[in-house]
Amino acid sequence: MDKELIEKLIEISLEQRSFAYVPYSGFKVGAALLCDDGTVYTGCNIENAAFTPTNCAERTAIFKAVSEGQRSFKAICVSAGRNEEPDDFAAPCGVCRQVMMEFCNPDFKIIMAVSKEKYKIVELRELLPLGFRLEA
Ligand code: THU
C-alpha cells in the first residue's frame, strides 16, 4: 500500500476517536475502512449501559459501508487508547475479526496505528487463521 494512503487512513482513524461514545471504558477507538473503489468509511466505538450492545469502531465502519452497498474492502486502520494520543497498537477483537472474515479476503490489511510515524500492518489471514466462512 502506498504510504500517502496509509497516512491518510491513519489521520482519519485518529480523528474518529473524538466521536467515540465511551462512558464505561473511556477507551476511545477510531477506524477508517478503505473500500476497493477508494471510498473511505469511518467508525468509532459506541458503548451501552447493558454492555453487550456495545459496537466496536471496526464494526461500525464495516456495517456503515455494507449498509450502503459496499462489498469489497482493501484495508482498515484502527487506533485506540484512553489518552489524547494512542499509546500502543490496538488489535481488533475476535468478533470484529469474524466480521472482517465475512466480507474481506485473506490479504485484507489491518493497519494498527499509534501515529502517522508509528504503525504496524498485518493481514486478516494472520489475525484469524483458519477463519470460518460459508461459501455463498
Ligand atoms: N473496542 C473496539 O472498538 N475495537 C476493538 O477491536 C476492541 C475493543 C472497544 C469496545 C469497547 O467500547 C472498548 O473498546 C473497550 O473494550
Side-chain angles (χ1 to χ4, degrees), residues 21-22 25 27 29 45-47 54-58 78 91-93 96:
Y21 175 75
V22 290
S25 73
F27 192 75
V29 189
N45 52 335
I46 305 166
E47 298 188 341
T54 291
N55 210 51
C56 292
E58 298 90 320
V78 191
C93 79
C96 288

Side-chain angles (χ1 to χ4, degrees), residues 17-34:
R17 293 185 63 235
S18 66
F19 300 120
Y21 175 75
V22 290
Y24 307 105
S25 73
F27 192 75
K28 295 171 276 189
V29 189
L33 173 69
L34 176 67

